[in-house]
Amino acid sequence: MSRDRTIPGLTVALAVCAIGGYFIPDWLMNQMMFGFARALAILGLLVLWRTGLVSFGHALYFGLGAYAVALLDINLGISDAFVRLGVAMLVTGGVGTLLGFILRNYRDIFFAMLSLAFSMVLYGILVKTEALGSTDGFTVSPPTFLSAAPEGKYPLFVLICVFGWLAAVLVQGYLRSTLGRLTTAVRDNEIRVEYLGYSVARAIHIKYVMSAVLTGAAGALTAMALGQVDPDSMVNWTASGELVFVTILSGPGSVAAPFIGSLIFELLRTYAFELVPHAWQMIVGGTLLAVIFFLPGGIWSLFARALKADK
Amino acid sequence: MSGDPILQVIDLQKTFGAVVAAKDINIDVSTGEVIGIIGANGAGKTTFVNMVTGYLKPSSGTIRFEGRDITGKPPRLVTQTGISRSFQVSQVFTSMTVYDNLLTALAITDSRGFNALRPIQRPDLTRRCEETLVRYQIDQYHDSEASTLPQGVRKLLDIAMAMVSKPRILLLDEPTSGVSAEEKFNIMDIIMGALKADQVTVLFIEHDMEIVERYVSRVVAFYQGEVICDKPPEEALIDSRVREFVIGEEYPLEVREAGSHADH
């Protein structure tokens, strides 16, 4: 049996990024921060995708995570990055658990649309409520780290790299466990899973909560990196679509794929906007079409091929 | 074989609107029996199996397994109590290899509590997986994807997966359907040999009377949702109602080697 080099590879890559981040220009560090933070949400969607489920409403959790950070900051003056992150994950885990009781009963387009509907309910509440910042959202103060308030964004960048690595290791471990194997098993044959004595609904529920927590963490880290939250870029259906877009771009083949795919998407969007400010979406959309036609396994399939050839 | 009742079906009924799919079914099953369930298409055989295994909820009646009422319980709870099943269309994990199918099945049945978070590749499971592959004679397909398997091998895999939960009763829905005439006895010999080793009580739906004659100790015949005959094969296959409504008058009257393989 060949040894899986995903985690060692990811460890080296993220360590290089974390250390290298000290020397790279701010604009590139920002791109990497947004890319790696979003990768956490993609990691969650990857787990769902492997189960045969596509959520068009995960901006719900991205937004909840981001707004949890903003509301903690504004109402309680909490700036500690770890507390913000922890609360965001608790909130999204709680909401995910509640909604999971409903969503675990649906499949295919019904699952996708119902998840979208829930996210649009949050969007509606946010844009109509002045106390929640309405359409403008909130500004988020820079994070502190265990009472230390270092200058610049590098400490947050390191936190994102370390947290991303930890999440990838945990998800990889999960995918190698029985519960993780239930992703493919449920997608392939729900009847057999039930007749092996395991509840398909429970399996889906666990995966849904897991993806909600990861997406909440992504939203929280993005809010701290951006210094701002708003409903249009974080909770609207386009934000959910963007997460699905990056999931397809990345591919479901590995826990490393979301980090690569998300970073590529971030750079692609930036350069496309630079090149054609009024039609950058065409370049991004064209790229997705090309991936669907020529790389159905996502960008990761290129790496997988290279790694296979290397063995 | 002991005579202990393991499964009792009492006045079981299932209706779909005005259609009565199963009516007043009463069957007692003793430990160690091998029962053949026969009947024409639409006679209620699969409806009966579906109700016993929790796939369908009965409209009325009671199902007791080892004295416990399991009527209307969902499939996973029925499985956990000790009843398992295979399907007419094999229910396997199509994108996985044969080995991964069995390993996954073993891991799922061993996934109570925190066991579900343990790595799936662990010595106790992989050893049992290899043993099961050999027992069902599918080890040569170890790395073949389930979707590419011949029908007979798929059936064996389906039954092997049903057996990993160590059930006391196994219900098989047409174990040789789609299998060639040359292969069917070989497949049945493998299945019955493995089940005998595990001391499992077996109920199987079958249209092939040669299989029924050769392997069962008792025949239950269905017609229009009702049990019309419940006898040993040598009596059931010459029963006038069974001949009229199930197997046809042209079927040979002398039952060949009836029950001779029922000890399988």
Side-chain angles (χ1 to χ4, degrees), chain A residues 56-60 116 119-120 123 126 230-242:
Chain A
F56 279 125
H58 258 46
L60 169 73
L116 174 63
S119 77
M120 292 311 288
Y123 177 77
L126 289 174
D230 71 272
D232 266 322
S233 70
M234 290 179 159
V235 192
N236 204 359
W237 66 270
T238 49
S240 290
E242 189 178 286

Side-chain angles (χ1 to χ4, degrees), chain A residues 176 179 181 188-189 192 197, chain B residues 80 91 95 104 116 120 158:
Chain A
R176 285 178 177 173
L179 261 179
R181 181 61 71 89
D188 274 8
N189 199 326
R192 176 47 78 200
Chain B
Q80 286 170 10
Q91 298 294 331
S95 71
T104 305
I120 195 165
D158 189 30

Side-chain angles (χ1 to χ4, degrees), chain B residues 138-178:
Chain B
I138 49 176
D139 47 325
Q140 60 183 306
Y141 296 96
H142 192 282
D143 295 323
S144 304
E145 199 172 274
S147 60
T148 65
L149 294 173
Q151 189 66 6
V153 180
R154 227 191 235 229
K155 288 273 182 190
L156 288 172
L157 176 61
D158 189 30
I159 293 165
M161 288 170 75
M163 282 299 296
V164 298
S165 61
K166 296 181 179 166
R168 265 93 72 206
I169 289 190
L170 179 66
L171 294 98
L172 308 173
D173 196 347
E174 299 194 35
T176 59
S177 74

Side-chain angles (χ1 to χ4, degrees), chain A residues 1 173-182 184-200 202, chain B residues 53 55 75-76 79-80 85 87 91-96 100 104-105 107-109 111 116-120 158 161 164:
Chain A
M1 190 187 300
Y174 169 83
L175 290 174
R176 285 178 177 173
S177 72
T178 304
L179 261 179
R181 181 61 71 89
L182 273 164
T184 320
V186 167
R187 186 196 63 201
D188 274 8
N189 199 326
E190 291 192 16
I191 292 173
R192 176 47 78 200
V193 172
E194 284 282 338
Y195 275 106
L196 287 167
Y198 202 91
S199 164
V200 169
R202 190 202 297 160
Chain B
T53 56
Y55 197 78
R76 76 190 150 82
T79 304
Q80 286 170 10
R85 72 172 291 183
F87 295 82
Q91 298 294 331
V92 296
F93 304 125
T94 47
S95 71
M96 295 185 201
D100 279 341
T104 305
I108 291 173
T109 55
S111 65
L117 289 170
R118 290 177 69 195
I120 195 165
D158 189 30
M161 288 170 75
V164 298

Side-chain angles (χ1 to χ4, degrees), chain A residues 10 25 36 77 86 116 120 125 131 149 171 183 187 194 209 217 219-220 247 256 309:
Chain A
L10 204 59
F36 291 165
L116 174 63
M120 292 311 288
I125 292 170
V171 170
T183 51
R187 186 196 63 201
E194 284 282 338
V209 173
T247 307

Side-chain angles (χ1 to χ4, degrees), chain A residues 264-277:
Chain A
I264 288 175
F265 172 76
E266 205 59 52
L267 293 170
L268 176 74
R269 185 165 60 177
T270 303
Y271 282 109
F273 190 79
E274 185 95 2
L275 200 67
V276 270

